[in-house]
Amino acid sequence: MLILASASETRAQLLRAAGVPTTPYPARVDEEQARLALLAEDASPRDLADALAEMKARKVAERFPEALVLGCDQILEYKGTVYAKPETPEDARAHLTELRGRTHKLMSAAVLYEKGRPVWRTITDAHLTMRDFSDAYRDDYLARNWDTIRHSVGGYRLEEEGVRLFSHISGDHFTILGLPLIPLLSYLGQRGIIPA
């Protein structure tokens, strides 16, 4: 049984759909404070994603030291700036306005802990180009979708109406959903944790 150190229902569903028995156990960490501290130390967006994923895995592994624990994190980066989940509709409006007509990068990091120590990690990325949508569409989109997009970096969910914001996507679909699923399944299969 894999413990998922996340409250993300999307990640849990992806793992279950792939035949990986999963128990969600959200890590109680102050992501925002950790993010700010790492950025103050000039951590790259890639290092930031990795560090936050490991922090979550380690926190839950301390509670379940004999378990296999998966920590994940996703970072949106555009021109060196890291975007967090929008706190208000105004934040989401600003994010979408800044990203509109441009290409940004999503990085998804995963770290596995086993018996209280890290045994595997990966980071995958995808490049997404937003179309030049109108202000009216942006505002209507936010009004219709705020309840779900407030939990997503960039202010969109590609698995929902957010897909209409884009003109081009390059990269793995699972990375965009926040889980490097293919490399993870490969590792679990090599280890014999799931049938290979």
Side-chain angles (χ1 to χ4, degrees):
M1 180 72 71
L2 178 71
I3 296 178
L4 176 62
S6 171
S8 168
E9 187 55 36
T10 299
R11 289 184 182 117
Q13 286 176 351
L14 289 172
L15 288 163
R16 289 185 193 120
V20 180
T22 304
T23 299
Y25 191 93
R28 303 288 181 215
V29 297
D30 188 339
E31 286 186 60
E32 186 58 24
Q33 185 169 343
R35 181 180 284 109
L36 292 173
L38 289 161
L39 289 172
E41 296 173 3
D42 292 325
S44 70
R46 196 170 188 81
D47 290 343
L48 182 61
D50 180 66
L52 290 170
E54 179 160 0
M55 183 182 304
K56 295 170 190 178
R58 182 174 59 244
K59 180 81 172 180
V60 174
E62 288 169 359
R63 184 165 175 85
F64 303 100
E66 296 303 311
L68 188 62
V69 178
L70 176 65
C72 301
D73 197 73
Q74 186 177 60
I75 295 291
L76 188 157
E77 183 262 332
Y78 172 67
K79 288 191 174 180
T81 298
V82 172
Y83 288 70
K85 295 172 185 172
E87 293 185 14
T88 65
E90 291 72 30
D91 286 345
R93 183 175 292 108
H95 293 178
L96 292 175
T97 301
E98 178 69 21
L99 299 172
R100 175 172 54 188
R102 299 179 173 97
T103 301
H104 64 269
K105 182 192 292 187
L106 277 179
M107 286 167 271
S108 289
V111 176
L112 269 176
Y113 262 60
E114 186 176 31
K115 297 187 177 175
R117 63 181 184 86
V119 294
W120 177 85
R121 64 190 341 112
T122 193
I123 302 173
T124 56
D125 57 31
H127 295 82
L128 298 88
T129 303
M130 283 193 176
R131 65 183 181 84
D132 194 14
F133 46 81
S134 68
D135 288 351
Y137 179 77
R138 177 202 59 201
D139 294 344
D140 289 346
Y141 166 78
L142 289 170
R144 283 190 302 275
N145 296 284
W146 171 246
D147 284 343
T148 56
I149 62 174
R150 64 191 178 95
H151 302 293
S152 302
V153 295
Y156 61 84
R157 287 173 57 93
L158 205 70
E159 62 272 33
E160 296 175 357
E161 186 186 346
V163 72
R164 292 176 54 190
L165 299 171
F166 293 90
S167 60
H168 186 265
I169 295 172
S170 173
D172 180 75
H173 182 68
F174 301 113
T175 293
I176 296 166
L177 297 181
L179 178 65
L181 185 60
I182 301 300
L184 174 64
L185 294 174
S186 177
Y187 175 77
L188 295 176
Q190 289 170 6
R191 285 281 315 278
I193 295 167
I194 60 172

